[in-house]
Amino acid sequence: DFNINDDDLSAEEVMERLNAVLPQGVRINEVYEPVMKHTEIAYSCYDIELTSPDRVLCSEKFAEFMNQETIVIQKKTKQKTMKDVDIKPFADIKEYHDTDKGMFISMSMPSGSGASYNPSLLLSAFYKFAGSEAEYMAVTRTAVLTEKGEDFR
């Protein structure tokens, strides 16, 4: 979220300029004028690809992980202290399955001005549960949604 003071810049040009200086693997796919207030953001949706050559990180292990009664993680508070949080109620898993290189997970998590959770918190807990880490992980935020499930604009 930022302001542009040059009225002659098109949204396409802003996107091209930003993408030219972003680190590898980070891309901007769309630039538009804001319609909603940032306080309307409630959730973010993610597609996650995990590479697991030893096949420890698989859909069967993920099902075991998600079937636990609680999934407690350490989360940093606004006061910079750590606290235990059960992240399971906040992880809305849409889909997960094995791939030829590991596994795929599609999920959403709260990301608004209230509670906000990064999917890496859940993934770190999964790695600990499985006793293995992904060789490679790609997390793509596919949508930002309002409380009503509408695309945030």
Side-chain angles (χ1 to χ4, degrees):
D1 184 17
F2 55 89
N3 292 322
I4 297 174
N5 296 323
D6 185 346
D7 292 336
D8 293 332
L9 281 177
S10 69
E12 184 71 25
E13 189 172 354
V14 169
M15 184 172 67
E16 287 173 9
R17 286 185 181 190
L18 288 170
N19 281 332
V21 297
L22 286 171
Q24 183 177 354
V26 177
R27 308 288 337 132
I28 293 175
N29 298 318
E30 187 176 20
V31 174
Y32 51 85
E33 292 283 332
V35 176
M36 301 173 172
K37 295 181 179 186
H38 73 280
T39 54
E40 294 182 63
I41 295 173
Y43 304 98
S44 290
C45 301
Y46 304 93
D47 284 348
I48 302 165
E49 296 175 56
L50 304 176
T51 300
S52 177
D54 59 7
R55 295 297 198 198
V56 172
L57 303 178
C58 62
S59 60
E60 183 179 339
K61 185 61 87 174
F62 190 71
E64 287 176 36
F65 171 69
M66 290 305 298
N67 283 332
Q68 298 178 98
E69 194 169 310
T70 61
I71 301 172
V72 178
I73 54 102
Q74 286 272 301
K75 184 173 186 325
K76 191 180 288 187
T77 67
K78 291 180 181 178
Q79 293 79 27
K80 308 284 187 226
T81 60
M82 300 300 282
K83 75 175 190 173
D84 288 343
V85 175
D86 179 10
I87 197 170
K88 185 176 178 181
F90 303 106
D92 183 9
I93 308 300
K94 310 287 187 196
E95 171 189 358
Y96 63 94
H97 60 266
D98 292 326
T99 65
D100 59 337
K101 295 181 181 179
M103 70 174 296
F104 170 84
I105 304 166
S106 180
M107 65 182 293
S108 66
M109 297 191 87
S111 63
S113 54
S116 188
Y117 295 92
N118 187 312
S120 66
L121 295 170
L122 183 74
L123 294 173
S124 293
F126 176 48
Y127 297 160
K128 185 176 180 182
F129 176 85
S132 182
E133 287 200 24
E135 181 178 274
Y136 174 79
M137 174 179 65
V139 178
T140 304
R141 185 173 59 194
T142 58
V144 177
L145 305 174
T146 66
E147 190 67 48
K148 295 177 184 176
E150 300 167 335
D151 282 335
F152 173 78
R153 289 294 199 179

